């Protein structure tokens, strides 16, 4: 008779292997498409995996087939509503699309436009960060992947004596002894009851000896059997030896409009995705500043409308302070990203900023990126003051004035060391 | 048999469970055998999720296949159009194997489950077992075994020679798959066990008999002359199975590559009958589910509500948009096949004067026997040529358009009237002929003396030329397998080349 099988619980992803092979084939096209995603939609959405448009041309499977335009062909169509034999119908202008689509539909050649590949989060990140790495991160990151620690993971029945867990083993032993003794006890009680009823002497003796035998068995239940023994079980888990903290410093002075904040936000988000791929634990400290500086939460950072004039230096001081209090650079990988339109109250403020960076911040952190969101030609005070810091290995600065520039700039700031060329 | 009321209650609930599936299988099987004399393989009904259905799509129904990016691409394309809502998944998928495996979507309603079980497990299954194409060309009991062998073999090749190398060979083979089919001789049965043994023997004989010295011995003069005579024209007859020709005759191809060519060729051969019987196969399955469900209703196993849902689904299956409809995408094989089978039954039982003229052999015969005969002994083109009746042409309002490259007009060649019936039948039959879809390309000869150049001839029919870009790439693939120059002549009836490709 028929077999009925529920396949639904079977492992998913039977096509994964073939899918990977296919993705590998269109890898270049995916990489090309990624900057588009970045400039078109919110980065936070891309976080869960992106949609990539891949033109089907690159992955054609050729075979010998007829040119649909050539030759003399007959087609049979259903639903004649107005034609009589011998009617002539002009072909559509241009011939191409009109005759191509309707006519060829009986044949397997289906015209396909670009179709969309949906990448999972991991796949997306893989392509996204393919050529990137966090500067100065290599050493600590390597450490983090090579150290393991043993983590308790329940009990196992087979292991070395030194890992014997006495308490659990004893519990098992006790349980076994009680249950087995109980079974004997029951039997004994049954036989004793029978003994009382019994009158025949021979049978009595027989029952008595049986009781004795059972008692003996009951009293000689071994204290430990192999089945009782439990050993502590350990699992090797990779130990993230390092964690990272990212300071996001944003200028929210009146001159930063929606457009500027949007770009800054995208940039920070990108950096966050990047960091969270590399580190098990990433913390973010949001600092916003106008005339005064304040540590805020994410919500307030991006959405608060509070605004005022621009004084930058206190925000860097604040960062330094927080770092000293909470994020010891010996333990934490510290990153900083500052976004501003470059306007400052006075040149003195800019000079102070550059000094704080040089003396207090840069020596203690892994990397700092400064992005200036500005589409005016003149350099701001801040840009001017920061220029001298460029020779510090862990400082980069770039100008962004359009969403589409975020990805190239991000790439330039974080490209692998081997690829770094002298900054313009 | 459980009592009818219990079945009725079971099938009336919109939510199915395994008892329902089992009951559906039992009753359809019983009705199929008892009333419609269906002879089937054992069924294996598998309940799958939509993602698993997409998996099945990409492997064209096979439970396993060798790894290749093409299947991944199909999966991604299907998945993306499914998610966008451009494409629905079919309710079932069934493969030609023994036991006959059918996949049923978990989100089918009870009514759909019963319908697809009748459709796939009775209709398609009986078709696979009894149609002469399938009987002659496939061995249902060994295909799954063979695919397991193919998968293991290709994975082993990937390990030994690198995935990229294997991919190149597979790409080339796939591009020639349409030309890897024997149409005239029956291939030997395949079995994984035998394949493995054959392979082992082959390598063993080769290595045992290999002797460098033997190659330097001067051959007998006569023998050489004999061989020369034979070799003047090679091959003696044109060969249209390009993959077969490569497998047997490519001068320097590695053994493992030859084996891959063979695997792809075997798979192409396995699908060959399916491409030749689409209309009949779907038509017959639809005809059967229609009759089985109606019989069950007549016998009191199904409620009125069930029948309403069934009629809706059934008419969805055989919906044929008209040529001018935006939903039109060719003739629906379900509709065409169903209509013809229904008409065979009608002609047997209630013939008109017209039928007596057109189908004298069917009049007054047992309709079930005639339906079985038609199902067993034809393929799409011959089936249409034999059975497409004026009534079906009228009902579907079929008409023929003539499209000449050189003309500025389409011409209506025939419509559904007295003058048109035979023409339409002939043209429709021809459009299901394989040579109509797949260009006729054959190996003409090999230059055995100097260059080992392979010459292919494309015989132009109806002035239809090859798609140039595709032909160029495919010739390149051909060369990568042949490993020596390849040229392709597109030749018209007068023997003159209209196109020429080389690589």
């Amino acid at each position: 008779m028929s077999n009925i099988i529920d396949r639904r619980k079977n492992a998913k992803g039977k096509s994964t292997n073939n899918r990977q092979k296919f993705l590998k084939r269109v890898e270049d096209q995916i990489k090309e498409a990624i900057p588009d995603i970045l400039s078109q939609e919110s980065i936070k959405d891309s976080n869960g995996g992106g949609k990539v448009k891949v033109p089907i041309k690159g992955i054609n499977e050729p075979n010998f087939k007829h040119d649909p335009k050539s030759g003399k062909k007959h087609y049979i169509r259903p639903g004649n509503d107005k034609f009589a034999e011998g009617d002539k119908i002009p072909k559509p202008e241009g011939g191409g699309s009109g005759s191509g689509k309707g006519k060829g539909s009986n044949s397997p050649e289906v015209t396909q436009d670009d179709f969309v590949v949906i990448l999972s989060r991991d796949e997306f990140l893989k392509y996204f960060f393919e050529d990137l790495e966090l500067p100065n991160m290599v050493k600590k990151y390597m450490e983090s992947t090579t150290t393991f620690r043993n983590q308790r993971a329940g009990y196992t029945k087979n292991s070395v004596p030194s890992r014997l867990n006495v308490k659990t083993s004893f519990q098992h032993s006790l349980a076994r002894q009680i249950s087995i003794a109980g079974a004997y006890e029951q039997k004994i009680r049954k036989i004793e009851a029978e003994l009382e009823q019994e009158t025949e002497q021979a049978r009595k003796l027989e029952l008595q000896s049986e009781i004795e035998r059972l008692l003996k068995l009951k009293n000689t239940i071994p204290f430990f059997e192999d089945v009782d023994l439990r050993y502590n079980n350990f699992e090797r888990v990779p130990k993230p030896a390092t964690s990272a903290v990212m300071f996001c410093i944003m200028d929210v002075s009146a001159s930063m409009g929606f457009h500027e904040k949007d770009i800054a936000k995208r940039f920070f988000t990108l950096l966050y995705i990047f960091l969270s791929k590399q580190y098990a634990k990433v913390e973010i400290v949001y600092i916003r500043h106008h005339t005064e500086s304040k540590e805020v939460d994410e919500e307030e950072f991006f959405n608060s409308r509070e605004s005022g004039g621009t004084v930058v230096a206190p925000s860097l001081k604040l960062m330094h302070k927080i770092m000293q209090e909470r994020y010891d650079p010996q333990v934490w990988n510290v990153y900083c990203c500052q976004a501003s339109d470059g306007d400052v109250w006075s040149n003195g403020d800019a000079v102070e900023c550059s000094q704080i960076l040089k003396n207090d911040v840069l020596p203690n952190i892994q990397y700092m990126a400064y992005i200036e969101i500005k589409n005016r030609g003149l350099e701001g005070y801040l840009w001017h003051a920061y220029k001298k810091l460029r020779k510090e290995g862990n400082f980069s600065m770039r100008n962004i004035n359009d969403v589409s520039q975020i990805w190239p700039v991000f790439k330039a700031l974080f490209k692998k060391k081997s690829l770094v060329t002298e900054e313009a | 048999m459980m009592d009818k009321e219990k079945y009725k209650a079971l099938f009336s609930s919109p939510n199915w469970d395994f008892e329902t599936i089992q009951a559906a299988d039992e009753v359809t099987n019983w009705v199929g055998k008892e009333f419609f004399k269906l002879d089937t393989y054992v069924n294996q009904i598998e309940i799958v999720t939509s993602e698993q259905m997409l998996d099945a799509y990409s492997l064209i129904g096979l439970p396993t296949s060798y790894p290749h990016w093409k299947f991944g691409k199909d999966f991604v394309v299907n998945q993306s159009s499914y998610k966008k809502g451009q494409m629905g998944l079919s309710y079932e998928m069934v493969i030609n194997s023994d036991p006959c495996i059918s996949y049923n979507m978990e989100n089918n309603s009870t009514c759909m489950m019963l319908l697809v079980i009748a459709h796939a497990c009775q209709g398609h299954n009986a078709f696979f077992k009894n149609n002469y194409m399938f009987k002659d060309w496939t061995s249902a009991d060994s295909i799954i075994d063979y695919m397991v062998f193919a998968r293991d073999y290709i994975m082993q090749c990937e390990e030994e020679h690198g995935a990229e190398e294997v991919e190149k060979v597979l790409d080339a083979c796939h591009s020639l798959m349409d030309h890897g089919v024997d149409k005239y001789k029956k291939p030997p049965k395949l079995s994984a066990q035998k394949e493995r043994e054959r392979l082992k023997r082959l390598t063993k004989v080769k290595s045992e008999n290999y002797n460098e010295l033997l190659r330097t011995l001067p051959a007998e003069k006569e023998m050489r002359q004999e061989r020369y005579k034979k070799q003047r024209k090679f091959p003696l007859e044109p060969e249209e199975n390009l993959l077969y020709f490569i497998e047997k005759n490519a001068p320097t191809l590695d053994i493992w590559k030859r084996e891959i060519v063979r695997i792809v060729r075997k798979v192409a051969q396995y699908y060959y009958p399916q491409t030749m019987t689409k209309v009949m196969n779907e038509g017959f399955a639809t005809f059967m589910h229609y009759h089985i469900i109606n019989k069950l209703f007549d016998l009191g196993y199904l409620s009125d509500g069930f029948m309403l849902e069934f009629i809706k689904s059934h008419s969805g299956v055989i919906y044929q948009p008209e040529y001018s409809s935006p939903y039109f995408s060719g003739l629906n094989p379900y509709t065409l096949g169903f209509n013809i089978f229904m008409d065979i039954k009608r002609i047997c039982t209630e013939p008109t004067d017209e039928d007596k003229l057109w189908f004298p052999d069917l009049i007054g015969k047992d309709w079930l026997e005639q339906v079985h005969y038609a199902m067993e002994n034809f393929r799409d083109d011959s089936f249409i040529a034999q059975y497409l009746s004026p009534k079906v042409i009228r009902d579907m309002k079929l008409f023929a358009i003539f499209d000449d490259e050189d003309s500025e007009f389409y011409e209506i060649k025939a419509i559904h009237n007295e003058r048109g019936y035979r023409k339409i039948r002939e043209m429709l039959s021809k459009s299901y002929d394989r040579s109509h879809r797949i260009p006729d390309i054959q190996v003409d000869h090999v230059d055995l003396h100097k260059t080992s150049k392979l010459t292919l001839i494309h015989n132009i029919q109806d002035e239809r030329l090859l798609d140039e870009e595709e032909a160029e790439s495919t010739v390149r693939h051909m060369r990568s397998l042949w490993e020596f120059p390849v040229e392709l002549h597109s030749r018209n009836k007068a023997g003159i080349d209209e196109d020429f490709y080389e690589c």
Side-chain angles (χ1 to χ4, degrees), chain B residues 116-127:
Chain B
V116 300
I117 286 172
H119 183 92
C121 305
Q122 295 302 315
H124 282 309
N125 187 342
F127 195 85

Side-chain angles (χ1 to χ4, degrees), chain A residues 68-328:
Chain A
K69 285 200 279 296
S70 75
K72 302 187 190 314
K73 291 148 293 190
H74 288 99
Y75 307 108
I76 304 292
R77 292 283 177 266
N80 181 16
D81 48 359
K82 57 183 175 198
F83 299 123
E85 194 183 330
D87 279 1
K88 290 194 170 156
I89 311 145
K91 291 188 182 175
E93 290 290 316
S97 64
S99 66
K101 208 177 172 206
K103 304 301 155 196
S105 42
N106 242 356
S107 61
E109 50 218 9
V110 181
T111 50
Q112 260 167 315
D113 299 328
D114 297 358
F115 72 91
V116 174
V117 179
I118 299 161
L119 299 175
S120 71
R121 183 190 149 84
D122 282 348
E123 285 166 343
F124 178 74
L125 291 178
K126 175 174 164 280
Y127 293 114
F128 207 68
F129 297 116
E130 188 110 282
D131 304 320
L132 301 179
E133 68 179 25
L134 272 188
N136 305 327
M137 179 204 69
V138 182
K139 198 176 128 240
K140 287 191 181 177
Y141 184 56
M142 292 296 282
E143 276 170 17
S144 75
T145 52
T146 45
T147 52
F148 287 87
R149 68 196 169 86
N150 282 330
Q151 183 181 290
R152 283 288 297 271
Y155 305 105
T156 170
K157 286 181 177 172
N158 298 302
S159 187
V160 290
S162 66
R163 288 199 175 159
L164 184 70
N165 186 309
V166 180
K167 186 180 161 204
T168 319
S169 303
F170 186 71
Q171 280 172 340
H172 277 95
S173 152
L174 218 54
R176 177 179 51 81
Q177 290 179 58
I178 290 168
S179 58
I180 294 176
Y184 287 138
E185 200 95 38
Q186 217 173 6
K187 272 189 196 165
I188 292 170
R189 254 183 269 128
K190 217 167 115 192
I191 296 169
E192 275 174 348
E194 200 181 325
L195 191 63
E196 272 175 35
Q197 308 279 316
E198 193 57 62
T199 48
E200 194 187 327
Q201 199 57 31
R203 177 69 184 147
K204 261 186 173 173
L205 281 174
E206 202 180 301
L207 288 174
Q208 262 161 358
S209 71
E210 177 65 13
I211 288 173
E212 265 168 48
R213 193 180 68 84
L214 286 171
L215 273 174
K216 211 172 180 181
L217 277 173
K218 187 193 147 196
N219 292 331
T220 53
I221 296 169
F223 190 75
F224 269 133
E225 288 262 40
D226 278 350
V227 291
D228 304 329
L229 301 183
R230 290 294 181 277
Y231 301 88
N232 293 331
N233 189 26
F234 292 94
E235 254 177 12
R236 267 162 68 85
V237 289
K239 181 183 169 192
T242 53
S243 315
V245 58
M246 180 171 96
F247 286 90
C248 299
I249 303 177
M250 184 160 68
D251 180 353
V252 289
S253 62
S255 51
M256 289 284 285
F258 173 79
H259 172 72
E260 285 79 10
K261 279 184 189 167
D262 181 52
I263 288 177
K265 176 184 169 179
R266 285 169 190 261
F267 197 87
F268 289 135
T269 318
L270 194 51
L271 189 59
Y272 175 70
I273 298 175
F274 189 17
L275 288 171
S276 49
K277 183 172 186 252
Q278 307 288 9
Y279 296 104
K281 186 179 169 196
V282 182
E283 290 201 7
I284 309 180
V285 178
Y286 298 99
I287 297 174
R288 40 179 280 136
H289 69 87
H290 39 95
T291 38
E292 58 186 88
S293 301
K294 201 156 86 172
E295 186 185 351
V296 294
D297 61 14
E298 184 180 348
E299 178 67 22
E300 199 183 340
F301 184 71
F302 289 117
N303 299 322
S304 169
R305 299 185 180 283
E306 187 189 338
S307 183
T310 317
V311 182
V312 186
S315 65
L316 295 174
K317 278 186 200 150
L318 179 62
M319 172 195 166
H320 186 57
K321 185 169 156 254
I322 295 174
M323 197 163 78
Q324 279 179 325
E325 282 169 6
R326 294 175 2 217
Y327 302 104
D328 177 4

Side-chain angles (χ1 to χ4, degrees), chain A residues 387-403:
Chain A
K387 262 208 236 168
K388 292 169 210 135
L389 297 171
R390 277 182 177 173
K391 59 181 183 295
E392 308 287 328
N394 56 353
F395 180 76
S396 290
M397 51 199 279
R398 285 285 170 140
N399 191 327
I400 298 181
N401 49 42
D402 188 79
V403 177

Side-chain angles (χ1 to χ4, degrees), chain B residues 57-76:
Chain B
Y57 267 43
S58 65
L59 297 184
I60 330 171
L62 290 171
T64 185
S65 189
Y66 51 82
H68 190 251
W69 65 269
K70 166 198 169 66
F71 305 128
K73 171 185 151 186
D74 292 348
F75 181 82
V76 169

